[in-house]
Structures are given as structure tokens and as C-alpha cells.
């Protein structure tokens, strides 16, 4: 099989600020895997959790290095492909690109969408949240209006994730959250993500404060390098469910977190693709944890790939492509607030047609 990699740059409609900084655009990698006249597509998106940066340059170099090693294999050689990627210690986002393309090829070969190959039920897919980054109270109100508009009858989305962990402190977080709640349409489900921006003391205080606003869960309240004793203490104190994101890359991370969180956030770029994402789902459920799917600055390729498994998720946060001005791809579609994979074979992703 032949592996080809192309770069493409996407710009956000609204720049996203989290506790670690602001992102306005991203240069991602389009991975194409060709064999027997069929081409499978995947995506590798750069991301950083502080100690583990995976830049576009790092991912491109890694994929170019491993591509010749895959030439002698076929997309049917899933186990051998995974072994090769493990032996060369391919960065997780680069693995994700190869793994997605492999699954897309297999689905196209079979003539079936992946969710149907796996026997999953699209009616079980929960609404995806849309994201409001760290902002001033007035800026947060504006973002709520941008996502949800002013006409309750025209609301397309039913859930929102609010980024907190403002470097200015929890008072700034509280002011922003109040602004979002005041501006939000009725019955909107709200969750919070601090991206590791709180100390244990602030996290405990915020979890109790957030309870009165009926927040669904609090994601990554503590730093990913925080001592497990701190997570355990917050787990003991918090009246709200705690989800791990930056502290949980793959299935091997889950058992050590099982006693101190209520759920985990699976992302294609962290896990290394659909193969490991499926392992993470089974491991999490065996540990009696809930499952969320999230994203970075991903296009419709990666989010549509995640949507193939979304009937197995308790929460979804697959909105990055919905905030792009120039996504060159289209795949899963939003219906009644839910991101639904389509009936096309494989991932069901296509290039956006450009009208001259």
C-alpha cells in the first residue's frame, strides 16, 4: 500500500482560549492510504498538553519516516501495522492518521460505514457540546449568541462546554460562567473544562460553587502532572463528576485513574486512532467509568472518525470542525444537536466542493 501525506491549514471562526493559551488556526496533516484502487483517509492534528508537544513538523517527519515501512503491507494487516507503529514509537497523532486511513479503507472495501460494520446504533448518539473559550463576561455572552442565536425555535445545539482555569483566578472563572448561564437558552446542558488550570484548593471550591448551576461534569480540574493523591482528595470532596482528559492518553492510563475520576475523555490524537479508542472504551467501562469523546483543532475527518464510535459514548465534545471557516472536508452532520455519521462507506468523508 502507498501512504501519502499532505498539509492543510484551517482557521477558526472564533479563536479558542484555554488555560494554556489561544489557538486561531492549525496546520493539520491529511493522510491518504492507497491500495487496490481504493484510497482511505485519515488526519493527524498537532496538539500539546505541556510536556508532550506534537507539532505539525514532528508529525510530518514521523509519518514520512514510517511510510516506506508500510509499503509491503496491506490495510488488512491491522495487527502488523500496529506493531510497526509501536516499534518506531510513532507519535499518537501520527498513529491516528494511519489508523483512521486504514479503517476508512476497510470500510470502503466492504462498502459499509464503520458504525454499521461494528453493529452500532446511531439512535444512541447523545448531543455534542459546542465550546466557549476563556473570555470576559461580555465576550462569553457574545459567544453564546454566536452559537445559539436569539431565536429559541432555531437552536441547533443543545449542550455547551465552558473553558475555565483563567490565569486571572477563579473569580474571573465565576464571572464568566454566570454570564454564560444568564445568556444561555433554557434547558441547555452545561459542562466545564479547566484544562488543568486549578490548584486542589481552587478546584474543590469551584466544584462546590458550580453545583448550584447544575453543571454536568468538571473536566481536568487539576494539572495532568498532579499527584494522584490530589485527584483522590478532589474525588472525595467534589459533588460533581470529574473527568480526566490530559491525564489520560490511552488504555494503559485508565486503571490508575479509575479510583479517582468518574470518566475519561478519549481523543483521536491522544489515543492514536480508532483501534486504541475502542480499547479505551472497553477498559473504561470495565472500570465502571463514563466515556466522553473530545477533539483538538481537528477537521471533519477526525471528528467524523470519532462519530463512528459515538453510540458508545456518554458525552460528546466533537465541535472543532463546526468552528472552522475553511474546513476542506465534510462528513458527519448535525441533526437535533447530535453529530451523526452518514451512510457512506468507511468514514463517509468527502472533499468540500468549491464553487468558482
Amino acid at each position: 500500500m502507498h501512504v501519502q501525506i499532505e498539509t492543510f491549514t484551517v482557521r477558526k471562526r472564533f479563536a479558542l482560549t484555554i488555560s494554556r493559551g489561544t489557538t486561531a488556526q492549525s496546520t493539520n496533516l491529511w493522510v491518504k492510504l492507497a491500495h487496490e484502487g481504493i484510497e482511505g483517509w485519515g488526519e493527524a492534528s498537532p496538539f500539546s498538553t505541556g510536556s508532550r508537544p506534537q507539532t505539525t513538523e514532528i508529525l510530518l517527519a514521523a509519518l514520512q519516516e514510517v511510510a516506506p515501512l508500510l509499503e509491503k503491507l496491506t490495510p488488512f494487516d491491522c495487527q502488523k501495522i500496529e506493531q510497526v507503529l509501536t516499534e518506531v514509537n510513532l507519535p499518537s497523532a501520527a498513529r491516528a492518521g494511519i489508523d483512521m486511513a486504514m479503517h476508512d479503507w476497510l470500510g470502503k472495501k466492504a462498502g459499509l460505514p464503520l458504525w454499521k460494520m461494528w453493529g452500532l446504533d446511531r439512535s444512541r448518539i447523545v448531543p455534542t457540546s459546542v465550546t466557549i473559550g476563556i473570555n470576559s463576561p461580555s465576550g462569553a455572552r457574545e459567544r453564546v449568541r454566536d452559537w445559539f442565536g436569539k431565536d429559541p425555535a432555531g437552536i441547533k445545539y443543545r449542550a455547551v462546554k465552558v473553558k475555565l482555569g483563567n490565569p486571572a483566578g477563579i473569580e474571573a472563572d465565576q464571572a464568566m460562567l454566570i454570564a454564560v448561564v444568564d445568556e444561555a437558552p433554557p434547558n441547555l446542558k452545561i459542562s466545564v473544562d479547566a484544562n488543568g488550570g486549578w490548584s486542589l484548593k481552587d478546584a474543590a471550591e469551584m466544584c462546590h460553587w458550580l453545583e448550584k448551576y447544575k453543571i454536568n461534569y468538571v473536566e481536568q480540574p487539576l494539572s495532568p502532572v498532579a499527584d494522584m493523591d490530589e485527584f483522590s482528595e478532589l474525588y472525595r470532596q467534589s459533588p460533581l463528576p470529574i473527568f480526566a482528559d490530559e491525564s489520560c492518553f490511552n488504555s494503559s492510563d485508565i486503571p490508575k485513574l479509575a479510583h479517582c475520576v468518574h470518566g475519561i475523555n478519549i481523543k483521536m490524537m491522544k489515543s492514536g486512532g480508532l483501534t486504541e479508542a475502542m480499547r479505551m472504551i472497553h477498559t473504561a467501562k470495565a472500570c465502571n467509568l463514563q466515556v466522553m469523546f473530545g477533539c483538538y483543532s481537528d477537521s471533519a475527518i477526525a471528528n467524523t472518525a470519532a462519530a463512528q464510535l459515538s453510540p458508545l459514548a456518554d458525552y460528546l465534545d466533537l465541535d472543532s470542525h463546526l468552528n472552522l471557516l475553511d474546513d476542506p472536508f465534510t462528513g458527519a452532520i448535525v441533526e437535533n444537536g447530535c453529530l451523526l455519521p452518514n451512510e457512506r462507506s468507511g468514514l463517509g468523508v468527502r472533499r468540500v466542493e468549491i464553487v468558482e
Side-chain angles (χ1 to χ4, degrees), residues 38-52:
I38 298 172
E39 192 171 82
W41 292 359
E43 178 178 11
S45 306
F47 73 97
S48 173
T49 58
S51 61
R52 304 189 198 183

Side-chain angles (χ1 to χ4, degrees), residues 61-116:
L63 284 166
Q64 289 173 334
E65 183 176 351
V66 78
L69 303 179
L70 301 175
E71 294 281 350
K72 61 184 178 182
L73 302 176
T74 79
F76 292 113
D77 297 319
C78 301
Q79 192 171 16
K80 290 180 180 179
I81 290 171
E82 185 172 26
Q83 182 179 352
V84 170
L85 303 187
T86 300
E87 287 174 351
V88 300
N89 196 26
L90 201 69
S92 62
R95 290 179 67 126
I98 296 291
D99 186 83
M100 273 184 249
M102 178 183 72
H103 278 92
D104 187 36
W105 189 97
L106 291 169
K108 288 173 177 174
K109 179 70 171 178
L112 292 169
L114 295 179
W115 62 269
K116 189 169 285 189

